[in-house]
Amino acid sequence: MKLSIIGTGYVGLVSGACFAEMGNEVHCVDTDEAKISLLRSGGIPIYEPGLEKLVKANVDRGTLLFTTSIQEAMAKTDIAFIAVGTPPGEDGSADLKYVLQVAKSIGEHMGHRMIVVNKSTVPIGTADKVTRVIRGELDRRGSDLEFSVVSNPEFLKEGMAVADCMSPDRVVIGTDDERVIKVMEELYAPFQIKRPRVVFMDVRSAEMTKYAANAMLATKISFMNEMAGICEKVGADVNKVRIGIGSDSRIGFSFIYPGCGYGGSCFPKDVQALIRIADQSGHEPRILAAVERVNDDQKRVLAQKIAVRFGEDLNGKVFALWGLAFKPGTDDMREAPSLTIVEELVRRGAKIRAYDPQATKQARDVYLKGNEGVEYFSSKYDALDGVDAMILVTEWNEFRSPDFPEMAKRMKGAIIFDGRNQYSTERLKDAGFEHFQIGVR
């Protein structure tokens, strides 16, 4: 099939590369000329395991093409995926500006019957808005071309996006058009060789499914962090509680690890947007509001523990921070807990020596740009030299079993604030460390 993917951000680029890998001809469109030039050369603007190799292979094969011209892409393809960002507005609702701009461009340049697919995470009812915008442009042109608007939300996990796209848990498609159903079944057939994965439903249910899925996962994280807070107060160990409840097959172990809060491009934005959707529909989203409050508070827990241990005035104190990205396997720092932790410690007068395997450039050039309280290092051990304590924020694999004697030699204070409960207290005690965890008194 011949597809256009409009937007070469995280979702668009991964989806485009995976569709091309399955033999489709994919035209990816973006207005950023520098990004398109990079992509044409086989490079990528983000870090995602396996993606660069996939992009380069399909660029070389001629199945993955990049352009700044939506008109060019429309002329050559029959299915157009909208995969642009929907950033949160001031009130937390999803901003549809870019989605509707793309819809307008599709209406302006469409020259034959097309299927338009919303891949972006969009509020319920967006397909209707996209339909109206495209139809308005066609009417303005005096055209009676037929088209269908489909909801096909993405469920990619950063750090595992290529694997998720190539072998998805499910593919949700919202449409009531029988012709479209057949086309989408054919498009996704190569992704479901082992078992059926496509779930068809009405458009609004498909739009809601993406929000409900992310809200559910965010709820599990905040619930476990709530339990961690209670455990600290009553003298229980949340690590043992996690095993106790996770062993129940109805609960499971996924997303019940206590920590310093969730971040990234999806959970914070989607929870906020769903809260706004509920408010606008006249429903009070009490659970979702609590999920968001708990997460906001959880991002400050490590800084509070540090202030209890060292005092509120941290002038003269230096801390190593391991991990800047919101999760391992990505360089994404959107809404990362590290940002709140750094802000809280620097505000109290501390200096930070930071290390992350992938996110340092994002931190230095964008998210912590100009913050003179932070210094960056290319080695996790070099970041430890002379520090009063180490703070573990992101659970990268290389942090799981470090050389504790080497750490003790480099650090002024043998203290670890373990924001992901990665380490055994007994092991750290044997190595001479104080160990502070989430959810353990």
Side-chain angles (χ1 to χ4, degrees):
M1 292 188 177
K2 295 184 178 182
L3 320 175
S4 55
I5 310 280
I6 304 163
T8 59
Y10 192 87
V11 173
L13 186 56
V14 173
S15 300
C18 291
F19 280 131
E21 180 69 9
M22 290 302 191
N24 299 288
E25 180 183 306
V26 181
H27 297 255
C28 289
V29 184
D30 203 287
T31 57
D32 188 332
E33 293 184 2
K35 183 190 287 188
I36 291 298
S37 179
L38 173 65
L39 291 165
R40 282 173 173 166
S41 70
I44 62 173
I46 58 174
Y47 173 74
E48 177 63 36
L51 181 58
E52 186 168 15
K53 180 180 178 181
L54 197 65
V55 168
K56 188 175 188 311
N58 283 282
V59 167
D60 292 346
R61 198 177 292 140
T63 53
L64 185 59
L65 304 106
F66 296 97
T67 179
T68 56
S69 171
I70 192 170
Q71 184 175 5
E72 175 187 326
M74 291 292 99
K76 297 177 179 178
T77 59
D78 302 309
I79 305 175
F81 284 83
I82 300 176
V84 293
T86 52
E90 291 184 4
D91 63 354
S93 61
D95 186 347
L96 293 177
K97 174 175 61 178
Y98 302 116
V99 170
L100 298 181
Q101 283 176 358
V102 171
K104 184 174 186 296
S105 294
I106 291 173
E108 289 172 341
H109 299 297
M110 189 170 66
H112 54 273
R113 185 175 185 176
M114 294 195 73
I115 297 172
V116 178
V117 183
N118 271 334
K119 200 72 173 169
S120 303
T121 301
V122 293
I124 295 84
T126 298
D128 295 336
K129 294 181 180 180
V130 169
T131 299
R132 287 196 294 270
V133 170
I134 295 174
R135 176 50 61 197
E137 289 302 313
L138 290 173
D139 289 346
R140 187 180 60 80
R141 292 166 50 194
S143 171
D144 60 356
L145 281 172
E146 294 184 7
F147 67 95
S148 298
V149 177
V150 179
S151 175
N152 176 211
E154 55 84 19
F155 297 96
L156 306 178
K157 299 186 292 293
E158 293 192 45
M160 297 182 66
V162 172
D164 285 345
C165 195
M166 296 297 285
S167 184
D169 292 329
R170 78 290 205 195
V171 176
V172 172
I173 298 173
T175 181
D176 57 4
D177 186 323
E178 289 298 327
R179 186 187 73 88
V180 171
I181 289 173
K182 290 180 180 178
V183 173
M184 298 301 285
E185 281 181 332
E186 181 181 348
L187 176 62
Y188 278 105
F191 298 91
Q192 47 181 342
I193 298 296
K194 293 182 179 179
R195 64 173 177 83
R197 301 175 192 270
V198 176
V199 181
F200 288 100
M201 59 184 71
D202 62 277
V203 172
R204 286 183 173 241
S205 294
E207 291 171 334
M208 182 65 185
T209 295
K210 174 56 188 274
Y211 281 112
N214 280 351
M216 182 69 231
L217 296 174
T219 298
K220 292 185 74 173
I221 294 171
S222 282
F223 174 83
M224 204 63 207
N225 284 329
E226 183 87 270
M227 294 302 103
I230 297 172
C231 284
E232 286 195 29
K233 295 295 185 182
V234 302
D237 184 335
V238 74
N239 300 306
K240 295 174 181 177
V241 172
R242 179 185 64 80
I243 294 170
I245 67 172
S247 300
D248 186 328
S249 61
R250 297 170 299 174
I251 298 172
F253 287 101
S254 297
F255 290 86
I256 63 166
Y257 287 82
C260 39
Y262 60 75
S265 63
C266 293
F267 289 4
K269 174 175 70 72
D270 292 352
V271 169
Q272 290 174 10
L274 191 51
I275 288 171
R276 184 63 177 164
I277 290 167
D279 285 338
Q280 290 174 337
S281 69
H283 179 83
E284 182 183 359
R286 291 169 292 179
I287 292 176
L288 295 178
V291 167
E292 186 176 40
R293 285 198 307 273
V294 168
N295 192 62
D296 288 343
D297 291 344
Q298 197 68 20
K299 291 181 178 181
R300 293 175 171 79
V301 165
L302 278 183
Q304 291 164 356
K305 287 178 176 287
I306 291 167
V308 169
R309 173 62 178 77
F310 289 99
E312 281 291 332
D313 184 357
L314 296 177
N315 279 288
K317 299 298 181 184
V318 183
F319 300 98
L321 189 143
W322 281 9
L324 292 161
F326 87 94
K327 63 178 282 188
T330 181
D331 61 353
D332 195 342
M333 285 190 62
R334 285 172 286 186
E335 302 286 342
S338 62
L339 297 174
T340 301
I341 293 166
V342 168
E343 177 188 350
E344 290 291 313
L345 297 181
V346 171
R347 179 176 63 81
R348 291 176 168 92
K351 298 291 186 182
I352 305 296
R353 294 166 65 90
Y355 168 75
D356 188 283
Q358 294 295 336
T360 296
K361 187 176 188 302
Q362 288 289 316
R364 184 176 52 228
D365 296 350
V366 182
Y367 293 96
L368 294 171
K369 185 177 181 179
N371 191 324
E372 297 179 356
V374 185
E375 187 177 0
Y376 301 96
F377 294 84
S378 58
S379 160
K380 62 178 180 286
Y381 293 120
D382 288 347
L384 297 172
D385 289 341
V387 301
D388 294 281
M390 185 274 274
I391 308 164
L392 177 70
V393 180
T394 312
E395 63 276 32
W396 287 94
N397 284 344
E398 69 172 271
F399 299 155
R400 291 194 174 189
S401 187
D403 185 337
F404 290 117
E406 174 68 16
M407 293 172 65
K409 282 193 299 184
R410 289 176 175 258
M411 297 168 67
K412 182 169 73 174
I415 304 171
I416 292 177
F417 291 89
D418 187 352
R420 298 296 178 182
N421 290 13
Q422 286 274 294
Y423 304 130
S424 159
T425 295
E426 290 74 17
R427 185 180 179 190
L428 287 180
K429 185 177 180 181
D430 290 344
F433 283 90
E434 281 185 72
H435 184 211
F436 295 87
Q437 298 183 78
I438 304 292
V440 181
R441 183 180 289 177

